[in-house]
Amino acid sequence: MLPAGKTADARRMDASIVEQGVPSLLLMENAAFSLYLSVREVCSKETFDAIVVFAGKGGNGGDGMALLRILVDRGCRIPLILVPLFEPDEISGDTATNYRLLPPTVKISPAYRHLSGNILFIDAMLGTGLSQPLKKSFLSAVRFINHYPRKKVIAVDVPTGLSGDTGETFPEAVRADITVSLGIIKSGLFLGKGPHHVGKVHRGGIGIPPREFSVAVLEESDFAPCQPPLNAHKRINGRLLVIGGGSPKIGASFIAAEAFLAAGGGLATVAVPEKSLLKLAGQYPALMLTTPDEAMARPEQWDVVI
């Protein structure tokens, strides 16, 4: 089972590790190396004209700056750019240390609207501590990343603008292709609008948690019916195929398909034996019906098959 919990749980784990003698700077280094593994995976599949780190003044920004140093250390030939959403005198502690250690080959440029080409964005602006609407500078950066045409986006811990506890947005959030959730997987990645913003979730290790450390489980009250955006349509939130058996055990197929729709899924199709099609026609207007043979004639059209 993967460790999952809320912001308070993550902070408690960090504090417990530091209390046992692990320097906080090493935790940041471990987090950056976890990010590096995801960056390396993405870069192995696609060619980028630049890797651009948007960094805030907190720990997420420090993670992003440490990532840039690791990339240089490992011979990355892609141009590396840091977009700091802070003034140098605003940062302190481990984040300031990693800012001072940035290699000279990293270009530091607060201006970013001139960017062009295929970009790998690293969203290291804000993490789990967000609880109020984004400031104008951060909101502008979020919108720029979301509307940039050719890109992949990796978010550090939590996409900027998203609550790590509830999945609420403040009022907009980065739409990531990958979110590297550091230490423990944050519950907000799966709640509210979280699934619409996080992409694939990778757990990034930061150090061995203390044996006595435990995390809170998700409460039943955390789960609420998903409210898709007003401009959503059935093909943007996944295509599910459920292959069912014959009567009288066909009910589970429809329960699974309806649960998928209730969770915010897009297009749900149930494959049933041909003799059952006419009996079921019209009974489930939200679901598509087909036969197993027809469904599997083009298996690539489904994102998930049950």
Side-chain angles (χ1 to χ4, degrees), residues 270 272-281 289-291 294:
V270 179
V272 298
E274 189 170 2
K275 63 182 179 181
S276 301
L277 278 178
L278 288 177
K279 296 179 182 178
L280 294 166
L289 294 179
T290 187
T291 65
E294 290 176 344

Side-chain angles (χ1 to χ4, degrees), residues 154-256:
I154 296 178
V156 180
D157 213 14
V158 175
T160 293
L162 185 75
S163 166
D165 286 346
T166 67
E168 179 185 0
T169 55
F170 293 101
E172 299 178 35
V174 166
R175 292 191 295 272
D177 297 287
I178 294 173
T179 297
V180 183
S181 191
L182 300 168
I184 64 173
I185 294 179
K186 313 306 182 292
S187 58
L189 305 183
F190 306 102
L191 303 175
K193 297 179 181 178
H196 184 61
H197 290 272
V198 300
K200 294 181 179 179
V201 177
H202 295 179
R203 177 179 173 253
I206 59 171
I208 301 174
R211 290 184 178 180
E212 70 274 12
F213 178 80
S214 60
V215 296
V217 297
L218 298 178
E219 304 293 339
E220 187 173 347
S221 58
D222 288 328
F223 293 92
C226 180
Q227 298 295 329
L230 290 176
N231 63 345
H233 56 83
K234 64 185 179 182
R235 296 193 179 277
I236 68 170
N237 285 342
R239 294 162 297 180
L240 169 74
L241 171 67
V242 184
I243 301 177
S247 180
K249 298 183 178 180
I250 206 168
S253 303
F254 290 92
I255 292 173

Side-chain angles (χ1 to χ4, degrees), residues 25-197:
L25 187 61
L26 180 57
L27 295 187
M28 186 170 283
E29 190 77 3
N30 291 341
F33 191 77
S34 292
L35 290 169
Y36 165 74
L37 295 177
S38 293
V39 169
R40 186 178 66 175
E41 177 184 333
V42 172
C43 289
S44 70
K45 301 174 182 177
E46 190 171 343
T47 300
F48 295 97
D49 298 299
I51 297 175
V52 180
V53 174
F54 278 73
K57 64 181 181 180
N60 271 38
D63 296 339
M65 289 181 270
L67 166 66
L68 288 169
R69 174 171 42 78
I70 290 172
L71 286 168
V72 173
D73 288 344
R74 280 155 180 77
C76 177
R77 297 182 180 276
I78 305 171
L80 303 174
I81 301 172
L82 173 69
V83 178
L85 296 177
F86 57 83
E87 296 297 331
D89 60 358
E90 293 181 312
I91 56 176
S92 60
D94 297 335
T95 300
T97 298
N98 275 302
Y99 184 73
R100 291 193 300 270
L101 292 175
L102 281 171
T105 53
V106 175
K107 180 180 179 181
I108 301 176
S109 175
Y112 52 82
R113 298 194 179 277
H114 65 283
L115 291 170
S116 61
N118 192 24
I119 304 294
L120 174 57
F121 289 111
I122 309 298
D123 167 22
M125 291 182 280
L126 297 172
T128 57
L130 183 66
S131 59
Q132 58 186 355
L134 292 170
K135 293 181 179 178
K136 184 177 179 180
S137 59
F138 288 96
L139 185 57
S140 295
V142 167
R143 288 172 173 169
F144 176 81
I145 292 173
N146 285 345
H147 291 96
Y148 190 87
R150 296 176 57 204
K151 65 177 184 290
K152 284 288 189 295
V153 182
I154 296 178
V156 180
D157 213 14
V158 175
T160 293
L162 185 75
S163 166
D165 286 346
T166 67
E168 179 185 0
T169 55
F170 293 101
E172 299 178 35
V174 166
R175 292 191 295 272
D177 297 287
I178 294 173
T179 297
V180 183
S181 191
L182 300 168
I184 64 173
I185 294 179
K186 313 306 182 292
S187 58
L189 305 183
F190 306 102
L191 303 175
K193 297 179 181 178
H196 184 61
H197 290 272

